[in-house]
Amino acid sequence: MSSSLRRPRPPRPPSRGFILRHLSGEYSLARSFWIHTVLISMLLTAGALASLSYLSAHNSPVRWLSLGVLAFELASLLVWGWAVIGTTMSALKGLFSGSILWSVLAILFLASGVFSILRSLATEMRPFIAEHWAVVQGEQPGDQVIVTYDASHQRAVLTGGIQEGAAASLERLLRSEPAILELQLDSPGGWLREGERLAEIVSRYNLKTYTNGTCMSSCTLPFLAGIQRTAGPSARIGFHQSRGIGESGPKGTDHTLIAIYKKAGLNDEFIRRIDATPSSSIWVPTRAELLAGHVLTR
């Protein structure tokens, strides 16, 4: 009796996985372009926006938000580079398999994207990344914030930048000094979110507000929350558009701020003037303008 000998099957080459297969252009041009390049980038962006919104909604420290932004930018750059390389390889293979038109269009589109990203990295992205990195390292706007009270124990005094922790310091002071009726402000401004928190505390404790020094930018938010708003002869109260970390150029209308101004009773003409003042500048109204715009109550 005879038996036939079977030849052993050659071992299967190890699978290189999804990432390496894309990089080598093994997937179709349509899949590489629409799924690996377009769809994955959209999903990454949506996930990042959801994460940053969560951090912002839960009053996370500004440095966490900046760290999240930098992590997203790095991940986006890596995923984008991976997608572009693999899609380009797929398009080059398409040139030799008859899909000349779509391959050429894909290559031209990807080349345009590469040029745009590189130009962005060399111009506006450089200060954007640098400013976020400074915040991650602990940079705060202005001089150290100090929250104390005067000799009468009826007036709280806030000086320095509108930095993280300013609102918490004010609330601790108000709890320990229940006789306080007024908040005096002297600040060049700072974080917008912290200014909003300060305004909420001023409103909740029904404080009057006063300044005889500088009250600029986000400092105006707690000032406008006062049930009475007054200023001394040396006061300089300044307004402008808001600006995000690392942003440059005109931002446009901030509807959240517009709502705050309307709630404080500012008239429409005054609000329009604020909205027309870019973040790189500052508008310091005269006392007559502050009274006419209803910034000052007397």
Side-chain angles (χ1 to χ4, degrees):
M1 188 170 67
S2 62
S3 61
S4 58
L5 297 176
R6 293 182 179 180
R7 292 184 179 179
R9 293 181 180 179
R12 291 183 179 181
S15 175
R16 291 186 296 171
F18 166 67
I19 294 176
L20 292 178
R21 289 183 66 190
H22 170 77
L23 283 175
S24 61
E26 294 183 25
Y27 295 107
S28 68
L29 178 57
R31 172 172 173 168
S32 294
F33 184 85
W34 291 110
I35 297 180
H36 303 171
T37 303
V38 176
L39 181 60
I40 290 180
S41 295
M42 291 174 62
L43 291 175
L44 178 63
T45 301
L49 290 175
S51 300
L52 293 175
S53 297
Y54 177 85
L55 290 174
S56 180
H58 288 75
N59 294 328
S60 301
V62 177
R63 62 167 56 186
W64 288 16
L65 290 169
S66 286
L67 185 60
V69 169
L70 293 179
F72 165 66
E73 293 294 340
L74 178 59
S76 294
L77 191 61
L78 292 174
V79 170
W80 173 81
W82 166 82
V84 166
I85 291 172
T87 304
T88 302
M89 292 296 295
S90 180
L92 290 174
K93 289 183 177 181
L95 289 175
F96 300 100
S97 61
S99 301
I100 298 177
L101 176 61
W102 292 114
S103 297
V104 170
L105 289 176
I107 291 172
L108 291 175
F109 180 86
L110 294 171
S112 173
V114 169
F115 175 77
S116 177
I117 291 292
L118 292 177
R119 183 177 61 181
S120 177
L121 287 172
T123 54
E124 62 262 27
M125 287 302 294
R126 182 180 296 176
F128 177 85
I129 292 172
E131 192 166 346
H132 274 289
W133 179 242
V135 172
V136 169
Q137 293 178 303
E139 183 176 284
Q140 294 280 341
D143 295 331
Q144 178 64 42
V145 62
I146 299 173
V147 181
T148 184
Y149 51 85
D150 66 2
S152 71
H153 287 232
Q154 292 187 334
R155 174 184 284 177
V157 180
L158 185 151
T159 58
I162 304 298
Q163 302 176 350
E164 283 190 314
S169 296
L170 176 60
E171 185 146 36
R172 283 194 300 269
L173 179 64
L174 293 173
R175 287 174 178 172
S176 65
E177 299 289 336
I180 290 176
L181 302 173
E182 186 173 54
L183 172 64
Q184 178 176 330
L185 294 155
D186 188 357
S187 171
W191 301 128
L192 181 62
R193 289 197 312 156
E194 199 67 22
E196 292 173 347
R197 291 173 188 156
L198 284 166
E200 190 275 329
I201 292 171
V202 170
S203 179
R204 179 152 41 90
Y205 282 85
N206 294 315
L207 298 179
K208 296 181 287 186
T209 50
Y210 169 81
T211 183
N212 192 34
T214 295
C215 186
M216 303 286 183
S217 190
S218 61
C219 174
T220 61
L221 299 184
F223 182 82
L224 290 172
I227 56 173
Q228 291 181 15
R229 305 186 291 264
T230 56
S234 300
R236 298 183 71 251
I237 303 174
F239 301 86
H240 59 187
Q241 293 178 356
S242 62
R243 182 182 76 88
I245 299 171
E247 291 181 350
S248 59
K251 182 178 180 178
T253 300
D254 187 325
H255 295 287
T256 300
L257 284 182
I258 296 297
I260 291 173
Y261 297 147
K262 287 183 178 292
K263 183 178 179 181
L266 275 60
N267 65 36
D268 291 341
E269 182 180 352
F270 198 94
I271 293 173
R272 282 194 293 269
R273 181 68 184 272
I274 298 173
D275 194 42
T277 305
S279 61
S280 58
S281 182
I282 193 81
W283 173 44
V284 181
T286 64
R287 185 176 186 85
E289 289 173 321
L290 292 170
L291 287 167
H294 304 155
V295 173
L296 300 179
T297 56
R298 61 183 178 87

